[in-house]
Amino acid sequence: MADLTPLLAFRWSPRAFDPSAELTPGEAASLLEAARWAPSAGNRQPWRFALGHREDETWKRILVNLPEREQRWARRAAALLLAAHVTATSDRAAADPATGAAADSATSDRAAADTEASAAPGPAPGAPVAPDPQTAYDLGQAVAHLTVQATALGLHVRQIHDLDRAGLAADLDLPGDIRPAVALAVGRLGDPLSLPADLVAAETGLRHRRPLDDLLLV
């Protein structure tokens, strides 16, 4: 395997978290700051996060909207985050806060297209808004930055994609233009043998990735 920075080489996604470890305010701020500085098309920064520390109200509301099979181990994490992104089309034309102007020609083109489309009937009130693929992509980059920063702090992150998004939106009272995407369990490593028996083999087995040649198109 080619040489990697330890921040990537030692990153992995455990289920065994130390149920006594806490996420300090400084660590939480560091993780969110890493996400804040992720690349973003037009500097729109469409990501949003809800952070819950173990047993606080936000943590409980995130946990209850995870499948029971994930709750078994996620309840041991020091923190649970909901990662979400903005879906409203009005956000597409947002100005670059550093300049006060449209960030690039692509953003301007999208804004023009939105204006042209505004004459068409919009979705019914309360109807789900289709996600903008760019915002989901940008959120993924923000989560990746957060995950690498966690490794730098001696923390680990496991992402949970199977969750009750409608339940999270209701329980966290999210604005209508915010789409929950993934939950993140954050904490320090615990004893893998403390996990339910059906999870121990997966937790202690060797990690695998496709060979690099499988990933190259040409």
Side-chain angles (χ1 to χ4, degrees):
M1 184 175 69
D3 287 340
L4 292 176
T5 171
L7 295 180
L8 297 177
F10 295 126
R11 185 219 63 79
W12 67 294
S13 304
R15 296 180 181 85
F17 287 100
D18 181 349
S20 66
E22 302 290 341
L23 187 70
T24 69
E27 289 169 338
S30 181
L31 296 179
L32 295 174
E33 190 72 4
R36 189 169 77 97
W37 285 101
S40 172
N43 200 23
R44 290 161 54 207
Q45 306 161 52
W47 44 73
R48 302 291 185 270
F49 295 96
L51 170 62
H53 294 267
R54 188 188 296 111
E55 298 298 343
D56 74 10
E57 193 62 30
T58 299
W59 185 93
K60 292 176 182 177
R61 293 184 182 191
I62 295 174
L63 183 69
V64 75
N65 284 290
L66 304 181
E68 288 187 12
R69 67 178 182 277
E70 309 290 10
Q71 290 184 33
R72 294 182 300 165
W73 59 266
R75 66 176 65 254
R76 304 183 183 198
L80 294 175
L81 290 88
L82 174 66
H85 62 76
V86 177
T87 62
T89 56
S90 60
D91 183 66
R92 299 179 187 176
D96 184 333
T99 65
D104 55 30
S105 59
T107 302
S108 299
D109 291 343
R110 286 198 298 268
D114 289 341
T115 301
E116 184 176 323
S118 63
V129 180
D132 179 346
Q134 185 63 56
T135 63
Y137 177 83
D138 283 3
L139 174 63
Q141 296 204 75
V143 170
H145 275 57
L146 184 155
T147 300
V148 172
Q149 182 65 20
T151 305
L153 297 174
L155 300 167
H156 289 271
V157 176
R158 186 173 183 87
Q159 301 179 37
I160 307 166
H161 296 273
D162 185 9
L163 38 80
D164 185 347
R165 291 175 175 81
L168 283 162
D171 289 350
L172 295 174
D173 195 23
L174 301 180
D177 63 346
I178 299 298
R179 178 179 174 81
V182 63
L184 313 174
V186 182
R188 298 191 181 276
L189 285 179
D191 180 3
L193 298 182
S194 68
L195 290 169
D198 60 312
L199 298 178
V200 172
E203 188 75 2
T204 57
L206 294 176
R207 299 168 65 200
H208 296 282
R209 283 293 190 271
R210 292 178 180 273
L212 184 57
D213 287 346
D214 287 0
L215 308 180
L216 296 177
L217 298 175
V218 293

